[in-house]
Amino acid sequence: MFEDLGQRIELEAEVVAYEPPQLLRVKLSSRAIEATSEQRLDAVDGRTRVSAVIDTKYKSFTARLASGIVTQHAQKQLEADFASLKKLVEGGAAG
């Protein structure tokens, strides 16, 4: 359960792939959506690339109607979270 845009959202989560330290894939489901979230760590030229892909299927009419706003908000939040993570990893303060 989490709260987003003032809405309480309950999801069932199932880890479907876990390959430390490179991969985590989780299946998420609720009455309104089904999604697969994948986070990867890949070595690239002596550095680590962090990537995330979320594939979402909106099942209800209301969810499909709000999908554009929800997707845009989730993208902005993900980018902000990655920026904070980068600061922490590179030794700076998050904020």
Side-chain angles (χ1 to χ4, degrees):
M1 194 273 299
F2 66 97
E3 222 171 282
D4 191 35
L5 296 173
Q7 297 293 315
R8 181 181 166 151
I9 301 168
E10 293 188 35
L11 294 170
E12 190 170 309
E14 174 188 1
V15 175
V16 293
Y18 181 58
E19 301 169 15
Q22 290 122 345
L23 172 71
L24 173 64
R25 187 177 304 123
V26 178
K27 180 180 175 184
L28 305 164
S29 61
S30 74
R31 291 181 310 145
I33 69 158
E34 283 184 5
T36 301
S37 172
E38 179 176 297
Q39 290 78 36
R40 295 190 68 87
L41 300 175
D42 295 300
V44 179
D45 297 327
R47 301 179 85 176
T48 302
R49 175 184 297 146
V50 179
S51 61
V53 175
I54 303 170
D55 182 30
T56 306
K57 195 183 300 182
Y58 297 94
K59 299 190 299 188
S60 73
F61 174 76
T62 304
R64 287 191 299 273
L65 193 61
S67 66
I69 294 168
V70 170
T71 300
Q72 184 178 37
H73 176 75
Q75 180 69 36
K76 286 181 182 179
Q77 184 63 54
L78 187 60
E79 289 172 6
D81 290 347
F82 274 142
S84 295
L85 177 61
K86 183 176 181 180
K87 284 182 182 179
L88 286 170
V89 168
E90 292 177 348

